[in-house]
Amino acid sequence: METQQNNNGNDHSETVSQNMIDSSNSNAPNIILNHDFSRGLYSWHPNCCDGFVLSADSGHSGFSTKPGGNYAVVSNRKECWQGLEQDITSRISPCSTYSISARVGVSGLVQYPTDVLATLKLEYQNSATSYLPVGKTSVSKEGWEKLEGTFSLATMPDRVVFYLEGPAPGVDLLIESVIITCSCPSECNNARPCSGDGDGNIILNPQFDDGLNNWSGRGCKIVIHDSMADGKIVPLSGKLFASATERTQSWNGIQQEITERVQRKLAYEVTAVVRIFGNNVTSADIRATLWVQTPNLREQYIGIANLQATDKDWVQLQGKFLLNGSPKRVVIYIEGPPAGTDILVNSFVVKHAEKIAPSPPPVIENPAFGVNIIQNSNLSDGTNSWFPLGNCTLTVATGSPHILPPMARDSLGPHEPLSGRCILVTKRTQTWMGPAQMITDKLKLLLTYQVSAWVKIGSGATGPQNVNVALGVDSQWVNGGQVEINDDRWHEIGGSFRIEKQPSKVMVYVQGPAAGVDLMLAGLQIFPVDRESRFKHLRRQTDKIRKRDVTLKFSGGGSSSVLGTFIKVRQMQNSFPFGSCMSRTNLDNEDFVNFFVKNFNWAVFGNELKWYWTEPQQGNFNYSDADEMLDLCKKNNIEARGHCIFWEVDGTVQQWIKALNKNDMMTAVQNRLTGLLTRYTGKFRHYDVNNEMLHGSFYQDHLGKDIRANMFKTANQLDPSAMLFVNDYHVEDGCDTRSSPEKYIEQILDLQEQGAPVGGIGIQGHIDSPVGPVVCSALDKLGILGLPIWFTELDVSSVNEHVRGDDLEVMLREAYAHPAVDGIMLWGFWELFMSRDNAHLVNAEGELNEAGKRYLALKKEWLSRTHGCIDEQGQFAFRGFHGTYVLEIETVSKKIMKTFVVDKGDSPLVVSIDL
């Protein structure tokens, strides 16, 4: 389901880029010793690798340096993090800002571009070592590149080591010089101690030992206590706690300004111990929020964390945040409970987030792919291994299908027929009653399971009935797939699931029809999926639909002499749309922008085009965020999707719209269409017209059934160049009967019958533990409409980065191999700027994780490269992906470079190359 991004949920603002500090401050001494390697490797140490110094005269070609100059070479690197380091502990001070400027290069078997990183290793005596990225550059050619960055430490670690790292193992890192200077030398010379706690906490007076110093009330009164409620409430730790009392608004609370103690592009962890008291409220939502004022005085609210707190116990509120830009002011505060309820805070910690080691790839012994873990599935032994959940009755009946359900057949291939027997469930007095089986010992952690079954219902149902294969994992309900039944036929259920934490017990059961309605279950299969086997099929399918036969035909002066000439053909860009979501605040982080423009060719805005953003109060418009984001797209030749004109779900509609009568609401809808589409005519290639119409009906309920089709018609009149989409979630995963492919098809046909120019089908793609045949089945069904299908908001989630990468690969391969799919948009990629936890490809401070590496590996796989010699007919033939290519021809006398484009097409493409 689509949700607001947690780092800009209330952001109706903008931030500005940090002013880069001039690293050439001639008055500031360089804290790096032997910065130009004139004394060999004195003061430098290779980190688990080899290092040596070369002179300019004896060095690498392409790396010119000043006469008589030297540079360092770091070789025999087995890991990306291996490089050259120097201890700078004694030469830096806390709370001072330092600028870095280095000249670096790479040599060896290099896959350009490659990144070189500057990093600080921060060692503490009583806590784990942490790593702080402080600079990065992308080396895209042979020669020196400038690496720049800044850093400031809130507290002084026991040891600080600066080092350069980054290129792939086997690639030599070259360093000509390193300069680190203090941006304010007088400040550095004074070496003042930094504010904040000695353990790295940037919150002052975090346990209220100094009363309420450094704290203030946010619209309310704050009080210090050693106990409350006649001694029933005492601190969990320390001697005191604070209360925010006399609160009249939910946003009232306790706050502290942290402006001077936070840095941009660093991730911070927040931990607060809290509870509530009073007003007869026993539980309430408590939130940690960041208020940011930008240099141009706009405001931004960043949601950090929230949980349900009670009046019984202290609880720990935890979250993370990162600032993209350079703020003028930053205040952190606790808010949330209803007016009249006190917020109690025992302690508050904000620290630079520790770098968490990535989870290892799961090692699954004997996964037994395709083997059903359900016992007595064919009922050859009566109902043994099965039991009734609740006071219902299980018996064995006949007359069920002998064939496997199609989605299971696609996974399992040739398979023995089903028995034709089924479980008949009678005397059901609750919807949850049905057949059940314990499968605790049969499951393996981090393995993805496909669910398949035939189900049918008896007579007596009034209206459509949902049937669901469910799993009880300890106290949690897990959806294994569901289907809506409104007849007396057998229906296929298909779904998937994965268990990532060790449960104490797991039960599978089938439930759903109304009490009194009999239920029949046949051929329930739950089996581990062999994803790699499926990928082989998808690679063959991809080759058929995403590639084209190409013949390069050489002509022109001297073409007869090119017979046998060696040529290289290299694809520079795949023309298939791979895009991502972004937010306005991301534009202030140059690392985010660099990754985006390098790896995506389409963009969609997370919130900035939605009506609640562009007109939060009636007549109060904010298009500046969308304008700036469009400017970035235009500058980098990135196409944009317009998301979204309207959103049909009640909870997303502004209060001022809800307060309008029918006529005024109709006028507001027309004004929204006119204002948005005339402002941006021709600038958005797509629009999601009315988001999530399968899950909401606000405008239809208030303005009548015709309003949906009219929105499409009016949008088309205002901007005929834009393709107009429907857009919804849980279409592809078999777990939501409201948005099954059949329901989606019915909705689209209904819109078309009313004259709505529906141009495309949006599948959001917020999916868990995806299984290829289930996804492909939905695409096949929707494909019969002949409309282009886009995955518009794709994300997958797993704590384990390798498993997350597997899930992402499943979705990308299924989509790219399907002829009906015309584009894929990720719903973000950067940690803390995603709508789901554990879904990111890039960690908060810019480090690519395993899922991100998988994405880039697939992008690389889908670029064609070939080489060979021109044949006797003056031709060279190959088969390649659609997109832009560079041709390189080397003759005895010259080197010729040509570009050409391979468009979609069924017939072979002949490209004339004039020499």
Side-chain angles (χ1 to χ4, degrees), residues 580-750:
S580 176
C581 167
M582 63 162 74
S583 71
R584 167 59 191 85
T585 62
N586 295 139
L587 271 58
D588 298 319
N589 186 335
E590 60 275 15
D591 297 334
F592 179 100
V593 172
N594 289 340
F595 188 93
F596 196 104
V597 301
K598 185 176 170 183
N599 296 298
F600 301 103
N601 54 13
W602 277 68
V604 63
F605 307 163
N607 292 308
E608 288 80 356
L609 210 67
K610 290 171 183 165
W611 196 2
Y612 64 63
W613 191 282
T614 61
E615 194 179 3
Q617 291 86 36
Q618 189 169 16
N620 180 13
F621 295 99
N622 170 27
Y623 288 113
S624 61
D625 294 326
D627 290 347
E628 290 183 46
M629 296 165 82
L630 265 179
D631 287 345
L632 176 83
C633 293
K634 183 179 179 181
K635 178 181 172 185
N636 292 282
N637 297 314
I638 292 172
E639 301 283 3
R641 299 193 76 249
H643 176 78
C644 51
I645 306 175
F646 301 101
W647 196 346
E648 190 71 270
V649 176
D650 184 282
T652 67
V653 179
Q654 305 96 298
Q655 283 303 126
W656 70 262
I657 295 173
K658 292 181 177 181
L660 300 175
N661 61 40
K662 183 176 180 179
N663 288 339
D664 289 344
M665 189 180 294
M666 189 68 84
T667 301
V669 164
Q670 183 61 49
N671 290 343
R672 162 68 171 169
L673 282 159
T674 305
L676 185 74
L677 277 85
T678 54
R679 181 184 185 90
Y680 294 120
T681 300
K683 294 183 178 178
F684 288 100
R685 290 277 299 277
H686 298 172
Y687 280 105
D688 296 329
V689 176
N690 191 4
N691 200 35
E692 298 174 0
M693 291 185 287
L694 291 170
H695 290 90
S697 57
F698 175 83
Y699 294 103
Q700 183 172 269
D701 292 344
H702 287 80
L703 301 175
K705 187 175 186 297
D706 294 344
I707 188 60
R708 291 178 168 180
N710 288 337
M711 288 171 172
F712 277 84
K713 293 176 191 176
T714 305
N716 180 245
Q717 291 163 5
L718 290 166
D719 189 353
S721 68
M723 187 181 289
L724 304 180
F725 276 69
V726 290
N727 191 48
D728 230 303
Y729 61 93
H730 285 330
V731 177
E732 77 291 356
D733 56 12
C735 73
D736 187 346
T737 56
R738 293 172 299 175
S739 52
S740 66
E742 292 80 6
K743 288 275 184 71
Y744 214 7
I745 290 167
E746 187 181 323
Q747 181 183 86
I748 293 164
L749 291 174
D750 183 52

Side-chain angles (χ1 to χ4, degrees), residues 223-241:
V223 181
I224 199 79
H225 305 269
D226 55 12
S227 68
M228 285 178 69
D230 298 324
K232 293 176 183 175
I233 300 176
V234 294
L236 184 67
S237 63
K239 297 178 180 178
L240 300 168
F241 61 92

Side-chain angles (χ1 to χ4, degrees), residues 848-896:
L848 195 69
N849 63 29
E850 290 300 325
K853 291 173 185 174
R854 193 77 58 91
Y855 172 74
L856 294 186
L858 286 170
K859 289 287 297 294
K860 184 178 178 182
E861 180 184 322
W862 296 329
L863 291 173
S864 297
R865 291 187 176 205
T866 187
H867 59 267
C869 298
I870 299 173
D871 66 16
E872 295 173 353
Q873 284 77 42
Q875 297 179 355
F876 180 81
F878 71 98
R879 183 170 175 79
F881 290 107
H882 308 138
T884 305
Y885 286 78
V886 168
L887 167 66
E888 189 178 312
I889 311 164
E890 282 201 48
T891 66
V892 176
S893 59
K894 58 184 175 178
K895 185 174 181 179
I896 302 169

